Each structure stands twice: as structure tokens, then as C-alpha cells.
Amino acid sequence: MKKLLLLLMLTAPAFAQDRDGEGKVTKTIPVPTKNPWDLDLHFGAGFGTFTTKDNFSKSFGGLLTGMSVYNEYLFSRFSSAAALDLLIDAGSLQVIRKGVNGSLTWNFLGGKKLQIHRLKPGILASSNTFGLGWVWRLGYASFSATPSAVGALELTGSNVHLDTGLRLTWKYGTQASLGLDVMTTVLSMAMSIEKSTQNASEFTLSWRYYL
């Protein structure tokens, strides 16, 4: 019987309960699912400097958009994610950078959609409305853009880059959250014969859906 009750606790939707002074249940609050996989859509702005092997630099910037897939429980204190991003130049309306990246977020305030604590009496689930995390991200970026003016520097090349920044999240309901990421490049290395590097900053807003 005990094993059956434990199985129901693990498989059924979790609920948090408020009790009054006499121990009576006054309110039942649903908490998010413990499915480890999530999906987000994000958009924002990215800008920075593209540098060639001859140390010629050109500024770039535009609309940043993309998609991320999260795994909440691969690490106990970290949230991991993989993302695909596109940077679109607002003036020429062309994709100037395509990139993929993987990231780890250290959640030092909330962050995870559901914290699971395994205790002797049973399993305790907790959830925070607001979260703040420190993000480290390793990515690959490919630049390819036709100059909009004669004699302008062409953006062509690829590089790997290490970024860091902060992530602020606000959870609403049990199935979704909003996020704000502020990221900057700390290291960039060339991955092509053009030997290009980048130094970029990004601001993105995301809508994350809990699967």
C-alpha cells in the first residue's frame, strides 16, 4: 500500500496546500509539472564588433530571434539548455549570423520550475515565482552577409564564443514563464580560414512553455 501511495505521488500532478491554525485545508495551489523538458521562443537585440584576421573591425547589430530546449534535472543546481539563434540586420533585412549554443544556468534564486526534495516521510515539491541565475554559454556562430555599400567590409567567417550574463525569470501559472537575458562575450576564437572573431552583447525576452 505504501508503494502504491508513493507511485501516485510521483505520477499525479503535485499540489501545495495552505492550512489554517486547526490544520484544515484552506486552499490548494497547483505547482508545475516535473517533466524535465521545456521549450522557449525568444527575441531581442544583438550588437557587437566583427573582427577579421587583418584586425579590421566592423560593427554589426540587429534583431535576435530563436528557440531553446531546456532540461531541468540533468544537474541538481543548474538548468541546461540548447538553442538555435538568428541575427537579422534591420537595414538590409538579411540574416547576418546563424548560431547554435549550449548553456548552463546556476540558479542562485529560484529558477527551476519545480524543486524536488526527497525526505524520509516522502517527497516535498516547491516552486518560486521569481528566479535569478548566472548563465554560461558556449556557442558556434557563422557570419555571412553581403555588404550594403561599395567597399564595405564583408561579414564572412565562423567562430566559437563563450558568453556569460544574467537571467531573470517570472513564472505565471503552472505551465509557462517569462524571461529576460543579458549576455556578453568573454572569449571568441576563429573556426574558419577567414579567422574572424566577434565581441557581442545581447538582450532577449523569452516565453518558456513547460512541457
Side-chain angles (χ1 to χ4, degrees):
M1 186 66 181
K2 291 182 179 180
K3 292 183 178 180
L4 178 59
L5 290 175
L6 181 59
L7 180 62
L8 290 175
M9 290 175 64
L10 291 173
T11 56
F15 291 91
Q17 295 179 336
D18 287 349
R19 297 174 181 270
D20 59 17
E22 299 178 356
K24 297 179 180 179
V25 176
T26 58
K27 184 171 58 175
T28 300
I29 307 169
V31 296
T33 173
K34 63 185 184 66
N35 189 317
W37 298 102
D38 302 329
L39 180 68
D40 91 4
L41 299 175
H42 53 268
F43 64 93
F47 57 90
T49 304
F50 176 90
T51 305
T52 68
K53 63 181 179 180
D54 300 318
N55 288 326
F56 288 109
S57 297
K58 178 178 175 58
S59 297
F60 65 88
L63 173 67
L64 184 67
T65 184
M67 177 184 299
S68 300
V69 178
Y70 292 83
N71 185 294
E72 281 285 282
Y73 303 118
L74 192 59
F75 303 97
S76 59
R77 287 292 300 171
F78 294 87
S79 296
S80 58
L84 170 66
D85 290 323
L86 299 176
L87 185 65
I88 304 171
D89 181 70
S92 60
L93 295 179
Q94 62 176 319
V95 176
I96 60 176
R97 189 188 72 186
K98 299 178 287 293
V100 293
N101 62 72
S103 65
L104 287 176
T105 303
W106 176 42
N107 302 296
F108 52 85
L109 175 62
K112 286 182 177 289
K113 61 182 176 184
L114 188 64
Q115 293 281 2
I116 298 178
H117 311 277
R118 300 185 182 275
L119 307 175
K120 287 185 178 180
I123 297 176
L124 174 66
S126 63
S127 180
N128 293 325
T129 302
F130 293 97
L132 184 62
W134 185 13
V135 187
W136 285 94
R137 183 177 70 187
L138 181 64
Y140 170 83
S142 175
F143 285 82
S144 179
T146 303
S148 56
V150 177
L153 181 66
E154 184 177 5
L155 298 182
T156 303
S158 59
N159 54 72
V160 292
H161 54 95
L162 179 65
D163 308 323
T164 189
L166 294 176
R167 172 173 295 158
L168 177 65
T169 58
W170 173 64
K171 189 180 305 174
Y172 64 94
T174 61
Q175 290 299 122
S177 66
L178 297 177
L180 171 64
D181 287 14
V182 181
M183 304 291 296
T184 187
T185 303
V186 295
L187 178 65
S188 178
M189 297 182 293
M191 286 288 290
S192 62
I193 59 174
E194 292 84 357
K195 296 184 179 180
S196 67
T197 59
Q198 66 167 320
N199 185 12
S201 297
E202 299 175 1
F203 305 88
T204 57
L205 292 172
S206 62
W207 178 77
R208 180 173 170 182
Y209 179 72
Y210 300 154
L211 300 176

